[in-house]
Amino acid sequence: MISSKHSSIAAVLTECVRRRAGSSETRWLEEAGAKSVSSPAAFLEDYASAARRLGRTAAHLSPEEMDRLRQAAPGWRKTDCCLDDLGRAVLLLSATTLLERDFQNLVEKVYWQGDTRERQALLNVLSLLPGPERFLRLALDACRNNIQSLFESMACENSYPAVYFPDLHFNQMILKALFLEVALHRVSGLSQRLSSELARMARDFASERAAAGRAVPPDLELILPEKDNA
Amino acid sequence: MKIFDPHIHMTSRTTDDYAAMRAAGIVAVLEPAFWLGQPRTHVGTFEDYFSSLLGWERFRAGQFGIRHFCALSLNPKEANDPRVADGVMELLPRFLQKDGVVAVGEIGYDDVTSEEDKYFTLQLELARRFSLPALIHTPHRDKKRGTERSLALLKDVGFPEGRVLIDHNNEETLPLVLNTGCWAGHSIYPKTKMDEARMVALVKNYGAERILINSAADWGVSDPLKVPKTAALMRESGVPDSDIEKITWGNPVAFFGQSGRLDLEDLEFPRPVDQSQLWQGNSVLRGQTPMKER
């Protein structure tokens, strides 16, 4: 049985899709969701084809929709999902009824055999899935990646890193964000993960940049203790 | 003029190539799955290769404003390798569902063995099942025979010829292919196989209907700019612009558009360059969103 938590999130997301996609697309999503409950093979096919079915246009969720979504999923931070992302989220939530081990295998397949958009859609909702700590390896891989949008899907407006990443990996994600010109204010829960080690890395990074005659990003101050910001 | 190179192995090429290609007007490429130059010995290597065509390589192309599509397959050479053949056939159905896959290919013959026959046939069935067109590699040795065998197989299994692109044609195989409903691709190389001048002669002889040209640029001596160079020679030689456009844009778009997975309207506009990717240094993009044309 799908948990009531997952089914209410899926219901909100399906409604968002219904308001934007045609009726046959929405019906497709509902049928695919029903199949996902029991068939991993059907799930993988439907998950892959969701982008072609639903399109990739930005969803632009309204404030009320965001409220409803946050009520169902308190950790939700994403603001820039597209229709295929929403549809894929519905499918993932529907598949949570599978046995634990089967679900874990399925999620790993989605990631390792997924193209970039498939991976991003998964990362968007990783913290909503049962036993999210099981998927740390996938999340860390996204942060080692040089595909900007893939990195951002984990690092930005996503509660997962602040909650589940060990210090070493969280800090490395911040450094990579600096390298990739990703604004640090987009990292959810940053203030909860400040540490002297992160501050040390920031100071070393600033010094490396200064020695190379290159600019130091001003948002470095977000990870330095106040006394450094003279 | 927009150019589509419908057969090029970008995993083997550098970003210098991408930059030069974009500057020469190439805005779309099709990368078919092929062998890497030495055998893969694990099915997992194919899995990761397919993933890379869909992920990293598509991203690399996008950095240079180039749309990247792919074809996936168990290629003719490695169809002979029992370590991988069946395992790859198990992977394909899942991967053929993915965005960016617009054909089954490269399939066909290399030495014309019975294993090659078997997997060629099986993959035509996959193409049929997933409503994808097929990209057929013709052997470089005993090419005429390999082409005849390929055309015969298509007839045997009743695969619609309009959904088949027979590639690497030469003066002898082109008329055989055009006598069927198949499309005909030509790979323009620096020293071997087909060259620009001979291609111009073929176009003058046979016209532009169902004719495509590509660079097939790969790990060996090859040139990713052969399509624009051939187009230039065609122009100099008096081939009408409308024919050149058909050969370098209209035909690839029409052929691979049969997959139903090319957004034709989208393809008409050059892909936006994502400045956050290319931008190297310090300066102005502090906390602002880098320019991304949407």
Side-chain angles (χ1 to χ4, degrees):
Chain A
M1 274 296 301
I2 188 173
S3 79
S4 63
K5 168 186 156 197
H6 292 127
S7 75
S8 51
I9 306 172
V12 174
L13 293 173
T14 305
E15 184 56 31
C16 295
V17 170
R18 187 194 319 276
R19 290 178 183 187
R20 291 158 176 83
S23 56
S24 66
E25 286 81 4
T26 310
R27 197 174 23 227
W28 172 83
L29 180 59
E30 287 166 337
E31 282 166 10
K35 276 188 279 168
S36 295
V37 163
S38 52
S39 170
F43 171 93
L44 288 169
E45 282 201 21
D46 290 333
Y47 191 89
S49 57
R52 284 198 298 285
R53 293 276 185 174
L54 303 174
R56 302 173 201 88
T57 52
H60 296 306
L61 301 187
S62 69
E64 300 105 321
E65 285 172 319
M66 285 299 285
D67 276 344
R68 236 172 285 139
L69 195 45
R70 288 207 180 102
Q71 258 187 332
W76 187 279
R77 299 274 175 277
K78 287 286 165 189
T79 53
D80 60 354
C81 289
C82 301
L83 282 187
D84 57 338
D85 295 322
L86 301 184
R88 284 171 168 158
V90 169
L91 296 179
L92 283 163
L93 292 164
S94 305
T96 58
T97 52
L98 294 171
L99 294 175
E100 260 187 45
R101 171 45 54 89
D102 293 339
F103 183 70
Q104 182 169 352
N105 287 341
L106 190 67
V107 168
E108 287 170 1
K109 268 204 181 102
V110 166
Y111 189 83
W112 297 114
Q113 293 178 355
D115 70 14
T116 305
R117 287 192 79 84
E118 288 179 289
R119 291 181 180 190
Q120 287 169 189
L122 170 61
L123 297 171
N124 287 347
V125 299
L126 209 57
S127 54
L128 301 181
L129 303 178
E133 65 287 343
R134 295 183 288 174
F135 305 118
L136 181 61
R137 263 191 78 212
L138 312 183
L140 294 181
D141 181 80
C143 290
R144 268 190 211 100
N145 216 283
N146 286 309
I147 298 177
Q148 184 99 6
S149 58
L150 188 57
F151 175 81
E152 289 180 3
S153 69
M154 180 46 57
C156 302
E157 292 94 32
N158 194 323
S159 55
Y160 192 98
V163 175
Y164 295 104
F165 278 24
D167 280 348
L168 169 64
H169 301 294
F170 187 87
N171 295 346
Q172 287 290 349
M173 181 185 79
I174 298 300
L175 268 196
K176 190 160 177 118
L178 290 167
F179 271 79
L180 292 180
E181 306 286 331
V182 171
L184 294 185
H185 70 79
R186 297 182 64 192
V187 178
S188 306
L190 178 57
S191 53
Q192 278 103 60
R193 297 299 302 263
L194 297 180
S195 65
S196 51
E197 178 61 3
L198 183 55
R200 195 274 306 157
M201 287 168 116
R203 278 191 294 270
D204 283 355
F205 174 73
S207 143
E208 179 185 311
R209 277 287 171 97
R214 293 175 62 189
V216 176
D219 55 357
L220 215 54
E221 63 191 29
L222 290 177
I223 55 181
L224 288 169
E226 280 175 28
K227 65 175 164 58
D228 276 48
N229 303 333
Chain B
M1 191 167 72
K2 300 189 300 291
I3 295 179
F4 188 148
D5 189 334
H7 187 139
I8 183 166
H9 299 287
M10 292 312 298
T11 47
S12 66
R13 311 303 304 201
T14 66
T15 54
D16 281 357
D17 291 324
Y18 271 122
M21 287 162 67
R22 185 62 171 90
I26 299 173
V27 298
V29 295
L30 178 110
E31 177 160 8
F34 201 53
W35 102 307
L36 301 175
Q38 73 177 48
R40 286 170 271 230
T41 63
H42 304 277
V43 175
T45 317
F46 278 88
E47 185 179 321
D48 294 339
Y49 171 60
F50 292 163
S51 275
S52 76
L53 294 184
L54 294 167
W56 181 234
E57 205 51 50
R58 202 194 295 174
F59 172 72
R60 280 206 324 150
Q63 287 184 297
F64 294 89
I66 294 177
R67 280 194 165 81
H68 179 282
F69 305 98
C70 67
L72 298 181
S73 69
L74 170 66
N75 64 81
K77 258 199 238 293
E78 292 180 287
N80 293 291
D81 195 333
R83 290 173 296 190
V84 296
D86 287 336
V88 176
M89 291 307 296
E90 270 178 45
L91 284 180
L92 280 172
R94 185 173 317 146
F95 278 90
L96 291 176
Q97 292 280 4
K98 296 189 188 290
D99 284 357
V101 180
V102 298
V104 173
E106 300 180 62
I107 58 177
Y109 293 114
D110 182 50
D111 281 348
V112 193
T113 64
S114 55
E115 281 82 9
E116 289 167 16
D117 228 5
K118 169 181 167 188
Y119 292 104
F120 188 175
T121 308
L122 285 174
Q123 290 181 93
L124 285 173
E125 288 313 313
L126 277 182
R128 215 200 293 267
R129 179 176 145 198
F130 290 98
S131 304
L132 290 170
L135 172 57
I136 314 281
H137 166 95
T138 56
H140 300 302
R141 295 178 301 284
D142 205 16
K143 183 182 283 286
K144 194 159 105 174
R145 170 60 61 87
T147 307
E148 286 164 346
R149 285 283 301 257
S150 304
L151 295 173
L153 180 63
L154 294 171
K155 284 197 154 60
D156 274 349
V157 306
F159 194 91
E161 290 170 350
R163 297 172 74 85
V164 174
L165 172 56
I166 307 275
D167 217 332
H168 315 316
N169 282 288
N170 61 23
E171 287 80 356
E172 298 193 315
T173 62
L174 178 56
L176 302 179
V177 173
L178 290 181
N179 265 347
T180 69
C182 300
W183 302 63
H186 304 79
S187 302
I188 320 292
Y189 281 98
K191 294 184 198 310
T192 57
K193 310 187 182 87
M194 178 62 57
D195 65 29
E196 286 102 308
R198 287 163 55 202
M199 191 66 223
V200 171
L202 285 177
V203 171
K204 289 195 155 187
N205 198 352
Y206 293 96
E209 280 308 304
R210 291 183 281 139
I211 301 266
L212 287 79
I213 61 175
N214 60 71
S215 66
D218 61 11
W219 299 261
V221 176
S222 46
D223 180 352
L225 299 180
K226 278 307 192 188
V227 175
K229 287 177 180 174
T230 307
L233 188 61
M234 286 193 220
R235 195 168 297 114
E236 277 171 51
S237 313
V239 175
D241 271 355
S242 56
D243 279 359
I244 301 174
E245 271 178 49
K246 202 168 171 83
I247 291 169
T248 60
W249 183 260
N251 285 347
V253 169
F255 179 76
F256 293 105
Q258 293 181 99
S259 64
R261 300 191 194 174
L262 285 190
D263 184 333
L264 298 177
E265 231 179 76
D266 196 39
L267 209 49
E268 284 304 309
F269 297 99
R271 182 166 194 153
V273 173
D274 189 334
Q275 201 177 72
S276 64
Q277 315 303 321
L278 293 177
W279 189 69
Q280 283 301 318
N282 29 337
S283 90
V284 296
L285 297 179
R286 307 277 90 228
Q288 294 164 256
T289 315
M291 177 178 93
K292 286 183 207 227
E293 301 172 46
R294 278 246 166 255

